[in-house]
C-alpha cells in the first residue's frame, strides 16, 4: 500500500542553483497559490555561506508572480511559507552535517537533490536509514546515473535508505495533465484501440526540437548531448505511454508496470549507422539572432563530438508493435520549435477507382505544451468532389493549472509516485541507449552538420519545416 502521508518539510539541497531558481521555486509558488500545499515548511541548503536574507530574497522573487495572481487563501499560504523558510550552509558530501540538519526538521521530509549528479550520489552514500525522519522521500533529478550500471548502483544505495515508492526520479517533461491526456485519448475512446497496432500504424515519430541554442549551458550539455539529455529520459517515457497495453487502473503500480513492460521490449537495433543519426549545429540565424557555431560556444570542447541533434529508431518487439519504427528525435537550434508525437497510419488497402488527387495517409498529431490533438483525414475536395483533399480536425486539450514542476512537487508532497520513474525503468532506459552511445564514441556513425535555424541536415526524414 502506497504511503500517502503528506510531506511536512521540503528540503531543497542546491538552494542556490539554477534548477531551484528557474523551475523548482516557481513551480512550488504555483502550487501554494492554489492553496493545495498549505502548512508546508520550506528549507534551503547549499555549500554557499548565504545569509537568511539572501535566501529569503530568492524565495520572495520566485513567489512574486504567483502571489500577484493568487486569491486570499493562496496569498496566505505563500506568505506563510516564505515567512518561515530558512537556509542552512551544509556540505552534503560530508558524513554528518546533512544528517544533523535532518534531525532538526519536522517529518515527513522530502529531500530534493537539486545538485550535480555526482554530488547527489555522494550525499546518498553518506546517509544512513536511521538518520532519516520517518516517511522521508528522496527526490532525484535527471540524469539518473550515467549508464545502466551506475543507475543500478544508485538504485541499490537508495534502497538502503527508503522503500522504492518513496523515491521520486523526476521526469518533468510530461506533466500529469499530458500523461492523462494521452491515456484518456487512447483508452477512453473505443475507435482508437482496435487500430492502435502494427496492422494499421506505419510509424510513430516523437519529436522535441527546440528553437533555442546552447544558452550558456555548456557545462552540463557538452558532457551530455541530445541523446542522453532528451531521448534517454523524456522521449522514451512518451514512447512508453504511446505503446503500452491498457492498464487496469491508473494506480501507480498498474501504470508503472505497463510502462516497464513495454520499455523492456524496446531496443535500438544494430547496425547503428542505419538506425541512428547524429548532428551538430554550425553558425546560423535563429529567430533573427545570429548563433555561433556550437564549437565556438564558451565551455564547449569540440573534440567531444557532442551531438546537438539526435535521432534513433526504437523497435518495440512485441505482438502489437513488431516492425513498426518508433522514431525519437530531439535537437537544439532548429528553425521551428516542435514538441509532438505523430502517428502515421498505413494507406487504405484499396482506394475505390474513380477518386483522384493525393491519397495521403491519416496522421494523428499529439502536441505537447500546449496540448493539442490534430487528426489529418482525406475528404472530398472543393470543386471536383472526386478529388481528395486534406482536412485537419483540431482540438485543444485542457491545460493544466500548474507548471510542470508544480505538478511534480504536488506528486512528491502527497506521496503520488505516478510522475516518477521507477528504478527498474530508469535502468532500462540506459540499457536501450547505451549501445548507441558506445557505437557513436567509436565513430561508427558520422557526426553530420546543420545550420542553426535550419530544419536539420538535408535528407533527414523527420525534418519539419524550417
Ligand atoms: P547548478 O550547478 O546550477 O546548481 C548546483 C547546486 O548544488 C548549487 O546550489 C551548489 O551550491 C550545490 N552544491 C554543489 N556541491 C555541493 C555540496 N557539496 N554540498 C551542498 N551543495 C552543493 O545545477 P542545476 O541547478 O542546473 O542542476 C541541478 C540538478 O538538476 C542536476 O542534476 C541537473 O542535471 C538537474 N536538472 C537541471 C535542469 C536545469 O534546467 N538547470 C533541468 C533538469 C534537470 P553552491 O553554489 O553553493 O556550491
Amino acid at each position: 500500500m502506497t504511503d500517502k502521508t503528506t510531506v511536512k518539510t521540503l528540503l531543497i539541497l542546491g538552494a542556490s542553483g539554477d534548477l531551484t531558481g528557474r523551475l523548482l521555486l516557481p513551480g512550488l509558488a504555483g502550487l501554494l497559490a492554489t492553496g493545495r500545499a498549505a502548512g508546508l515548511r520550506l528549507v534551503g541548503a547549499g555549500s554557499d555561506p548565504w545569509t537568511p536574507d539572501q535566501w529569503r530574497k530568492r524565495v520572495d522573487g520566485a513567489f512574486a508572480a504567483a502571489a500577484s495572481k493568487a486569491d486570499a487563501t493562496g496569498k496566505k499560504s505563500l506568505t506563510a511559507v516564505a515567512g518561515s523558510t530558512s537556509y542552512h550552509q551544509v556540505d552534503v558530501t560530508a558524513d554528518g552535517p546533512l544528517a544533523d540538519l535532518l534531525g532538526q526538521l519536522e517529518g515527513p521530509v522530502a529531500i530534493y537533490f537539486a545538485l550535480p549528479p555526482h554530488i547527489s550520489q555522494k550525499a546518498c552514500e553518506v546517509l544512513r536509514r536511521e538518520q532519516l525522519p520517518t516517511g522521508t522521500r528522496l527526490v532525484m533529478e535527471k540524469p539518473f546515473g550515467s549508464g545502466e550500471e551506475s543507475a543500478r548502483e544508485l538504485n541499490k544505495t537508495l534502497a538502503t535508505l527508503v522503500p522504492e515508492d518513496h523515491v521520486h526520479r523526476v521526469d518533468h517533461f510530461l506533466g500529469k495533465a499530458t500523461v492523462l491526456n494521452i491515456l484518456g485519448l487512447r483508452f477512453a475512446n473505443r475507435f482508437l484501440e482496435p487500430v492502435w497496432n502494427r496492422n494499421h500504424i506505419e510509424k510513430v515519430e516523437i519529436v522535441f526540437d527546440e528553437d533555442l541554442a546552447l544558452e550558456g549551458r555548456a557545462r552540463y550539455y557538452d558532457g551530455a548531448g541530445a541523446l542522453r539529455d532528451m531521448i534517454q529520459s523524456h522521449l522514451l517515457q512518451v514512447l512508453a505511454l504511446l505503446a503500452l497495453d491498457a492498464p487496469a487502473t491508473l494506480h501507480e503500480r498498474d501504470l508503472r508496470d505497463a510502462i516497464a513492460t513495454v520499455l523492456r521490449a524496446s531496443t535500438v537495433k544494430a547496425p547503428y549507422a542505419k538506425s541512428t543519426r547524429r548532428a551538430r549545429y554550425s553558425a546560423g540565424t535563429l529567430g533573427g539572432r545570429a548563433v555561433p557555431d556550437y564549437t565556438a560556444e564558451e565551455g564547449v570542447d569540440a573534440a567531444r563530438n557532442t551531438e546537438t541533434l539526435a535521432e534513433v529508431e526504437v523497435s518495440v518487439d512485441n505482438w502489437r508493435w513488431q516492425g513498426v519504427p518508433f522514431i525519437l528525435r530531439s535537437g537544439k537550434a532548429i528553425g521551428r520549435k516542435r514538441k509532438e508525437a505523430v502517428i502515421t497510419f498505413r494507406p487504405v488497402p484499396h482506394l475505390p477507382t474513380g477518386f483522384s488527387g493525393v491519397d495521403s495517409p491519416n496522421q494523428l498529431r499529439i502536441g505537447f505544451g500546449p496540448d493539442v490533438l490534430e487528426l489529418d483525414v482525406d475528404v472530398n475536395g472543393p470543386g471536383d468532389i472526386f478529388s481528395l483533399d486534406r482536412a485537419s480536425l483540431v482540438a485543444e486539450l485542457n491545460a493544466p493549472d500548474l507548471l510542470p514542476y508544480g505538478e511534480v512537487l504536488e506528486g512528491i508532497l502527497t506521496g503520488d509516485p505516478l510522475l516518477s520513474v521507477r528504478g527498474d525503468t530508469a535502468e532500462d532506459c540506459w540499457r536501450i541507449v547505451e549501445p548507441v552511445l558506445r557505437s557513436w564514441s567509436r565513430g561508427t556513425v558520422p557526426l553530420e552538420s546543420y545550420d542553426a535555424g535550419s530544419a536539420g541536415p538535408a535528407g533527414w526524414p523527420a525534418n519539419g519545416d524550417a
Side-chain angles (χ1 to χ4, degrees):
M1 184 73 186
T2 310
D3 168 15
K4 295 257 182 192
T5 317
T6 303
V7 163
K8 288 276 193 287
T9 307
L10 173 63
L11 168 61
I12 300 181
L13 307 179
S16 62
D18 179 63
L19 178 80
T20 301
R22 225 162 34 81
L23 298 170
L24 278 184
L25 292 177
L28 177 64
L31 176 61
L32 291 168
T34 64
R36 298 212 286 272
L40 181 75
R41 186 78 182 245
L42 172 67
V43 177
S47 53
D48 281 342
W50 273 20
T51 61
D53 234 32
Q54 264 176 299
W55 170 239
R56 176 69 200 262
K57 274 207 183 97
R58 183 164 227 214
V59 173
D60 283 341
F63 282 13
S68 69
K69 287 185 263 164
D71 63 10
T73 317
K75 276 198 175 75
K76 201 170 146 205
S77 163
L78 283 157
T79 311
V81 170
S84 64
T85 191
S86 56
Y87 177 84
H88 301 258
Q89 185 184 2
V90 176
D91 177 1
V92 297
T93 59
D95 193 355
L98 179 55
D100 291 346
L101 172 59
L102 286 167
Q104 299 165 33
L105 303 178
E106 186 187 357
V109 178
I111 310 176
Y112 204 117
F113 292 86
L115 301 164
H118 67 284
I119 303 284
S120 300
Q121 183 150 354
K122 188 80 205 292
C124 292
E125 281 164 9
V126 298
L127 280 174
R128 288 182 295 283
R129 185 187 283 261
E130 61 276 12
Q131 295 170 330
L132 303 178
T134 309
T136 294
R137 300 182 171 277
L138 304 178
V139 189
M140 311 304 293
E141 262 299 336
K142 71 159 201 184
F144 187 82
S146 54
E148 191 182 357
E149 189 56 43
S150 66
R152 186 171 301 127
E153 285 307 311
L154 185 50
N155 276 335
K156 276 190 200 153
T157 306
L158 297 175
T160 64
L161 299 173
V162 297
E164 170 60 29
D165 66 0
H166 282 55
V167 179
H168 295 260
R169 296 171 195 79
V170 170
D171 193 313
H172 73 283
F173 184 71
L174 287 188
K176 192 167 187 158
T178 307
V179 169
L180 294 178
N181 278 342
I182 296 178
L183 296 175
L185 171 71
R186 286 198 53 203
F187 301 124
N189 294 291
R190 178 89 194 213
F191 76 100
L192 272 180
E193 183 58 14
V195 295
W196 207 257
N197 55 53
R198 65 189 301 277
N199 298 327
H200 299 278
I201 290 180
E202 190 159 274
K203 64 176 174 180
V204 177
E205 291 160 296
I206 301 168
V207 178
F208 184 79
D209 281 351
E210 288 179 277
D211 58 355
L212 294 171
L214 194 55
E215 315 297 325
R217 293 196 64 214
R219 192 159 63 120
Y220 161 71
Y221 193 83
D222 198 43
L227 181 56
R228 283 189 186 84
D229 183 45
M230 291 301 302
I231 295 179
Q232 185 274 336
S233 49
H234 308 315
L235 299 196
L236 282 173
Q237 294 299 315
V238 181
L239 175 150
L241 292 168
L242 290 172
L244 54 73
D245 284 341
T249 73
L250 293 179
H251 296 150
E252 68 81 21
R253 175 79 196 271
D254 285 340
L255 185 55
R256 298 207 298 180
D257 277 354
I259 289 173
T261 303
V262 78
L263 287 173
R264 269 204 305 280
S266 303
T267 51
V268 181
K269 293 208 159 68
Y272 300 112
K274 196 159 159 271
S275 57
T276 74
R277 299 162 194 269
R278 58 176 179 148
R280 187 167 70 184
Y281 69 78
S282 50
T285 310
L286 252 184
R289 194 163 53 94
V291 172
D293 195 283
Y294 176 78
T295 56
E297 298 264 20
E298 197 182 330
V300 166
D301 175 0
R304 276 193 164 131
N305 285 335
T306 301
E307 81 285 355
T308 57
L309 173 65
E311 186 181 299
V312 299
E313 181 182 320
V314 179
S315 307
V316 182
D317 291 321
N318 62 17
W319 192 303
R320 186 196 285 260
W321 293 117
Q322 202 285 323
V324 178
F326 282 76
I327 295 157
L328 275 47
R329 158 182 165 134
S330 181
K332 280 195 183 294
I334 302 291
R336 187 168 69 97
K337 185 170 155 184
R338 261 172 94 202
K339 198 172 170 189
E340 63 178 3
V342 184
I343 293 95
T344 303
F345 290 86
R346 292 190 189 283
V348 292
H350 172 71
L351 185 69
T353 310
F355 276 122
S356 60
V358 182
D359 169 27
S360 317
N362 294 131
Q363 284 191 319
L364 178 66
R365 294 170 182 274
I366 307 173
F368 306 123
D371 290 1
V372 182
L373 203 62
E374 199 175 319
L375 180 62
D376 292 344
V377 291
D378 282 337
V379 292
N380 296 19
D384 177 6
I385 56 166
F386 289 99
S387 171
L388 294 173
D389 200 12
R390 205 77 175 140
S392 288
L393 315 177
V394 183
E396 269 181 38
L397 304 177
N398 290 329
D401 63 341
L402 294 177
L403 292 167
Y405 267 92
E407 293 185 320
V408 163
L409 284 168
E410 186 168 37
I412 292 160
L413 299 180
T414 59
D416 177 4
L418 190 71
L419 289 186
S420 304
V421 177
R422 204 169 66 187
D424 55 339
T425 296
E427 291 171 26
D428 229 18
C429 288
W430 282 116
R431 194 256 316 142
I432 295 166
V433 304
E434 262 192 320
V436 179
L437 290 167
R438 277 198 295 272
S439 157
W440 286 6
S441 70
R442 290 194 302 272
T444 46
V445 177
L447 181 65
E448 297 178 51
S449 177
Y450 61 101
D451 292 346
S454 71
W460 281 33
N463 281 351
D465 315 318

